[in-house]
């Protein structure tokens, strides 16, 4: 499909030259100066100060700023005490191991008005729309709310009646071994007045700080993971606000402009990353006190919101927002214009949040990632990854594509035989562990094949040639995936009235590119029921072949087709059921949590956050969760994510390399939907593929099957990654040597330390 330019380090292709892998010792580092370079190889002090990297943590101690006075001890176990005030609906949680007290703001803060003060203290807050469609907040502690509490041995229930709004609901709190859970059952919600329930927050100000009064940060699941360190209040243009399963094509306008405005720096463009996991967290004093929160029910209708100090209030706060309705644009024009309207029927789900409290060495983003990974393993969502002697290399093949001439035609870019020849060339370079994804194997190619097409193109070799390619790859230790897209299509690939999602305003749900001169500028979203049918058909007709499910893990749509409406929860269930029945290896890109357990290969793992101005660090939270359970790969290295520094970033994050190539010359991309890719010719990229793979393999092959247990910055530009098999990896981004713990790390290098063995230094 259309190219997505994912550029973490933007480079000019004309500046690219081949890399040379070189093993050196610490003593010889200064003497060795003959190192072939790649292009933008050096990194500046300024670059390392940006939010594309992780920074040194403050060692300042976090002092208790809250007290349990005016609260009553209502629950406790071996690890925690839960104190509660019915008068203010305020919660205090005491970690018995550390003595640290968690809660919202203190009593009656002077710099918050009454409404915000109640929100900042209360157990929960609702947002609602009045009869004039004005959005308002009210906390359960408001004097107009009638709240009744019932206590049990392991929790309590709040029955709240928001009398002025005409909304009532129940919220249940349970104390568990190392945390608490908070839940609002769907059946308990009653709207008996004119107001309409919009959203619900549980303890939104838990772990809040006023500016930089507390040393620490908020963690949000933006891309690979992002930290928002506590700083003095600043006037940001926006806050972090991301739907957990991404935007809903059935409700959201998706023809977003490429204007970054003041939200993110515009020195180069990266995609606005999705919330990759349904979690968030707060640290008070690094490796002292922290909590990790997960949306365990209702994630399909939830978003993670984080307000840095200076946005609305001078407090930092992060929360999950459970949304029962949406304000949407009732579209009256193709450009998305129209008028604002309120979704009338509530989304039906149980809202549930689980919070774990961490302390000591576990109280940082690494500890949060390890905790969450262990939780997913215990649920059977994550298993043990395939363990290989050498790391895998992902090679996506452009097979065929439509082109624009007098009539639309099919252009061959790589036959099955040519794909086998490409694999053989890499085999001669001792690259045996090849994950090949073949795109455009059907008639009419990647962007022309009908959504139900499962016949191999005879011009590419037909069924026999693809079976031969599969067997050839497997005999040398690799694997073949056929790419299918059951989620999105252009107008030539589907019947709009049959296949396309209908929005709530009864338009066909689509995403529009800003460049209207391309062959297909509009992409349509396929109805969930039809997605299931397409997946079932492909599974049946392509028996024996592994499948790459393009876009499936990143797109979750409601569908408002009259008489056949499907909400997001049912959509997720339909797709999950279809995928679970596929008895084969599956690969997906940026896959959501609901499909993660079925994913053998995770493609296009993000290597940074969205780079909003308030985000201070990128961290490999996602990678720490996945490592040891799922093979995950970086974005295409020949699409901008390629340089010495980018290779070091891949080594730091434990990511395997990916390239998108074809046998044909680059001139064949002209007048096709692939022309944005510029350079895909395998002959141009062969040396780069070989040398970058060998560099990464020298490092990451030693961590096959192992899990990351710690990621820590030792000094500016010097990072240490610790694995559970005893391997430590160090990355020095600076061009100059750095000395830590009596070890001299050569400039711009990786180092591998295995127990008491001599440390090995590797430079790209």
């Amino acid at each position: 499909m259309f190219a997505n330019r994912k550029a973490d380090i933007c480079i000019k292709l004309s500046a690219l030259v081949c890399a040379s892998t070189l093993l050196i010792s610490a003593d010889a580092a200064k003497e060795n100066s003959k190192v072939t370079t790649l292009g933008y190889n050096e990194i500046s002090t300024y670059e390392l100060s940006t939010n594309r990297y992780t920074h040194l943590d403050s060692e300042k101690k976090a002092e208790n700023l809250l007290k349990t006075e005016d609260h009553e001890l209502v629950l406790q176990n071996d690890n925690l005490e839960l104190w509660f005030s019915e008068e203010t609906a305020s919660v205090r949680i005491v970690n018995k191991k550390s003595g640290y007290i968690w809660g919202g703001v203190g009593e009656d803060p002077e710099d918050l008005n009454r409404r915000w003060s109640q929100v900042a203290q209360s157990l929960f807050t609702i947002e609602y729309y009045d009869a004039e469609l004005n959005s308002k907040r009210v906390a359960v502690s408001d004097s107009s709310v009638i709240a009744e509490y019932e206590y049990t041995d392991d929790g309590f229930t709040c029955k709240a009646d928001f009398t002025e709004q005409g909304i009532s609901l129940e919220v249940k709190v349970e104390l568990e071994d190392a945390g608490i859970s908070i839940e609002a059952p769907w059946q308990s919600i009653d709207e008996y007045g004119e107001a309409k329930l919009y959203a619900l927050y549980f303890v939104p100000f838990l772990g809040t700080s006023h500016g930089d009064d507390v040393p620490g940060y908020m963690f949000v699941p933006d891309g690979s993971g992002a930290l928002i360190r506590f700083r003095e209040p600043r006037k940001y243009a926006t806050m972090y606000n991301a739907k957990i399963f991404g935007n809903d094509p059935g409700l959201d306008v998706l023809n977003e402009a490429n204007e970054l405005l003041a939200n993110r720096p515009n020195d180069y463009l990266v995609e606005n990353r999705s919330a990759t996991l349904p979690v968030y967290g707060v640290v008070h004093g690094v490796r002292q006190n922290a909590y990790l929160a997960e949306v365990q029910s209702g994630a399909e209708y939830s978003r993670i919101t984080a307000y840095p100090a200076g946005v609305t209030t001078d407090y930092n706060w992060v929360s999950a927002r459970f949304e029962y309705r949406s304000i949407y644009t009732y579209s009256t024009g193709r450009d998305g214009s129209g008028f604002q309207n309120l979704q009338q029927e509530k989304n039906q789900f149980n809202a549930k949040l689980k919070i774990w409290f961490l302390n000591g060495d576990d109280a940082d983003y690494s500890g949060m990632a390890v905790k969450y990974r262990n939780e997913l393993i215990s649920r059977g969502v994550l298993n043990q990854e395939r363990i290989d002697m050498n790391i895998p290399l992902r090679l996506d093949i452009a097979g065929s594509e439509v082109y624009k001439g007098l009539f639309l035609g099919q252009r061959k870019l790589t036959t099955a035989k040519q794909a086998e020849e490409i694999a053989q060339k890499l085999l001669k370079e001792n690259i045996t562990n090849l994950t090949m994804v073949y795109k455009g194997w059907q008639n009419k190619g990647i962007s022309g094949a009908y959504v139900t097409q499962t016949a191999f193109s005879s011009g590419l070799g037909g069924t026999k040639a693809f079976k031969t390619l599969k067997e050839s790859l497997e005999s040398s230790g690799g694997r073949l995936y056929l790419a299918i897209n059951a989620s999105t299509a252009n107008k030539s690939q589907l019947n709009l009235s049959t296949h396309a999602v209908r929005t709530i305003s009864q338009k066909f749900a689509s995403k529009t590119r800003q460049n209207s001169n391309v062959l297909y500028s509009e992409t349509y979203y396929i109805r969930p029921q039809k997605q299931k049918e397409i997946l079932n058909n492909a599974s049946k007709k392509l028996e024996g072949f592994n499948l790459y499910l393009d876009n499936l893990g990143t797109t979750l749509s409601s569908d408002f087709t009259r008489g056949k409406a499907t909400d997001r929860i049912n959509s997720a269930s339909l797709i999950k059921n279809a995928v679970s029945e596929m008895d084969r290896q599956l690969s997906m890109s940026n896959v959501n949590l609901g499909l993660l357990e079925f994913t053998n290969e995770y493609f296009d793992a993000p290597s940074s956050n969205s780079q909003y101005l308030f985000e201070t660090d990128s961290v490999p939270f996602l990678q720490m969760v996945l490592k040891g359970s799922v093979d995950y790969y970086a974005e295409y290295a020949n699409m901008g994510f390629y340089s010495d520094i980018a290779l070091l970033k891949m080594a730091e994050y434990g990511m395997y390399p990916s390239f998108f190539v074809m046998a044909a010359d680059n001139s064949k991309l002209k007048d096709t939907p692939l022309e944005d890719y510029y350079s895909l010719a395998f002959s141009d990229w062969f040396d780069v593929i070989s040398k970058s793979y060998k560099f990464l393999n020298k490092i990451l092959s030693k961590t096959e099957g192992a899990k990351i247990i710690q990621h820590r910055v030792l000094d500016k530009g010097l990072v240490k990654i610790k694995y559970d098999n005893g391997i430590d990896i160090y990355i020095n981004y600076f061009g100059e040597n750095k000395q830590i713990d009596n070890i001299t790390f050569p400039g711009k290098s990786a180092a591998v330390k295995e127990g008491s063995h001599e440390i090995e230094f590797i430079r790209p």
Side-chain angles (χ1 to χ4, degrees), residues 731-744:
I731 305 295
N732 181 11
Y733 284 102
F734 270 125
E736 60 192 40
N737 294 356
K738 276 188 171 290
Q739 188 166 6
I740 297 285
D741 298 333
N742 296 320
I743 302 174
T744 299

Side-chain angles (χ1 to χ4, degrees), residues 137-434:
R137 284 189 184 96
V138 59
V140 66
S141 60
D142 189 87
S143 59
S144 66
V145 180
I146 299 174
E148 297 178 354
Y149 297 91
E150 296 179 359
Y151 296 88
T152 64
D153 291 340
D154 55 6
F156 67 89
T157 298
C158 173
K159 297 181 179 180
D161 189 349
F162 294 80
T163 56
E164 291 186 358
Q165 291 74 33
I167 298 172
S168 65
L169 73 159
E170 293 182 6
V171 170
K172 299 180 178 181
V173 179
E174 289 190 2
L175 182 65
E176 301 179 5
D177 182 42
I180 62 171
S181 66
I182 311 174
E183 182 176 12
W186 157 255
Q187 295 86 348
S188 74
I189 301 172
D190 182 23
E191 295 172 317
Y192 60 88
E194 293 186 352
K196 300 295 184 183
L197 179 63
Y198 170 42
L200 174 65
Y201 299 85
F202 296 136
V203 287
F205 274 67
L206 183 67
T208 186
S209 76
H210 185 277
D212 59 355
D213 286 354
V214 177
Y217 51 75
M218 299 182 287
F219 160 75
V220 292
D222 182 23
S224 63
L227 306 185
I228 305 172
R229 295 186 186 268
F230 298 149
R231 299 188 287 193
E232 292 183 354
R234 305 184 182 191
K235 296 302 180 184
Y236 298 108
T238 187
M239 76 292 192
Y240 178 74
N241 184 20
K243 284 189 174 181
I244 290 173
F245 280 80
N247 285 333
D248 183 352
L251 285 170
D252 301 306
V253 176
L254 299 178
N255 55 337
E256 297 176 357
N258 288 331
E259 177 58 59
L260 296 181
L261 301 176
N263 296 342
R264 296 185 285 164
N266 61 1
D267 54 343
Y268 64 86
L269 178 65
V270 297
E271 287 188 337
N272 188 0
R273 309 288 191 179
S274 62
T276 48
L277 293 167
V279 294
Y280 64 90
V282 172
V283 167
H284 281 191
V286 177
R287 292 180 287 280
Q288 298 171 47
N289 315 285
Y291 76 75
L292 173 69
E294 180 193 23
V295 176
Q296 292 194 330
S297 179
E300 295 86 353
Y301 289 108
S302 303
R303 61 176 80 224
I304 306 299
T305 61
Y307 288 72
V311 178
T312 309
T313 74
D314 288 343
Y315 290 82
N316 300 284
W317 62 281
V318 58
S319 181
R321 183 168 76 188
F322 297 91
E323 297 183 342
Y324 294 91
R325 285 183 171 83
S326 292
I327 281 285
Y328 64 94
T329 300
Y330 191 95
S331 179
T332 56
R334 287 182 58 83
D335 61 353
S337 61
F339 59 89
Q340 295 294 298
N341 205 357
L342 177 67
Q343 181 183 346
Q344 290 301 304
E345 297 298 323
K346 294 191 300 294
N347 301 320
Q348 298 185 23
F349 61 90
N350 293 330
K352 184 176 181 180
L353 186 72
K354 174 67 181 290
I355 304 171
W356 295 276
F357 295 92
L358 310 171
N359 59 276
D361 287 343
D362 296 331
D364 63 1
Y365 63 86
S366 290
M368 293 179 191
V370 170
K371 175 64 178 177
Y372 194 54
R373 179 181 66 217
N374 291 339
E375 285 292 325
L376 295 183
I377 290 174
S378 69
R379 298 176 201 168
V381 174
L382 292 176
N383 302 297
Q384 179 65 50
E385 71 176 359
R386 182 187 67 246
I387 302 176
D388 305 310
M389 290 187 62
N390 296 298
I391 68 170
L393 165 70
R394 172 192 171 198
L395 202 66
D396 283 17
I397 301 292
S400 65
E401 186 57 292
V402 293
Y403 71 93
K404 181 171 56 177
L406 183 59
F407 301 101
L408 289 180
Q410 180 179 0
R411 182 171 290 166
K412 289 190 296 184
L413 303 174
T414 312
T415 65
K417 180 64 175 176
Q418 288 173 321
E420 186 178 356
E421 292 170 353
I422 287 173
Q424 290 299 316
K425 288 181 180 179
L426 293 173
L427 187 61
K428 291 179 181 178
E429 295 292 306
N430 293 318
I431 302 176
T432 59
N433 193 2
L434 188 62

Side-chain angles (χ1 to χ4, degrees), residues 457-580:
S457 171
S458 59
L460 299 176
T463 303
K464 184 177 180 180
F466 279 93
K467 286 184 176 179
T468 300
L469 172 61
K470 174 181 178 291
E471 293 167 358
S472 175
L473 288 169
E474 291 176 350
S475 67
S476 59
R479 63 214 60 85
L480 174 67
Y481 289 96
L482 299 179
I484 64 170
N485 189 350
S487 305
T488 60
N490 61 58
K491 62 183 179 182
S492 69
Q493 295 179 297
L494 80 173
N495 182 318
L496 281 175
S497 61
T498 302
H499 290 100
V501 164
R502 288 273 187 177
T503 69
I504 196 168
S505 56
Q506 293 304 302
K507 302 289 185 181
F508 292 123
S510 65
K511 184 174 182 178
T512 304
R513 293 188 61 188
Q514 295 298 304
N515 183 3
S516 59
N517 295 320
V518 295
L519 187 54
Y520 298 109
S521 62
E522 197 159 23
T523 301
Y524 294 90
Y525 292 87
I526 299 174
R527 294 178 53 216
Q529 184 61 53
K530 293 298 179 182
Q531 289 186 51
K532 181 179 180 180
E533 292 176 11
I534 293 168
L535 292 171
N536 289 342
N537 177 63
S539 183
K540 180 180 179 181
K541 297 292 182 62
L542 298 170
E543 187 175 357
F545 285 96
N546 300 325
L547 298 176
Y548 165 55
L549 307 180
D550 195 8
N551 285 323
L552 193 71
T554 58
T555 304
L556 182 61
S557 178
S558 56
D559 178 27
F560 292 89
T561 299
R562 288 193 176 98
K564 301 176 182 179
T566 306
D567 63 24
R568 284 189 113 188
I569 292 177
N570 286 327
S571 294
S573 179
L574 283 168
I575 295 166
K576 184 174 182 177
N577 288 340
V579 171
S580 67

Side-chain angles (χ1 to χ4, degrees), residues 675-688:
E675 61 185 350
D676 283 358
Y677 283 101
Y678 304 117
S679 177
L680 298 183
F682 175 74
S683 58
D684 292 344
W685 288 98
F686 172 71
D687 287 341
V688 171

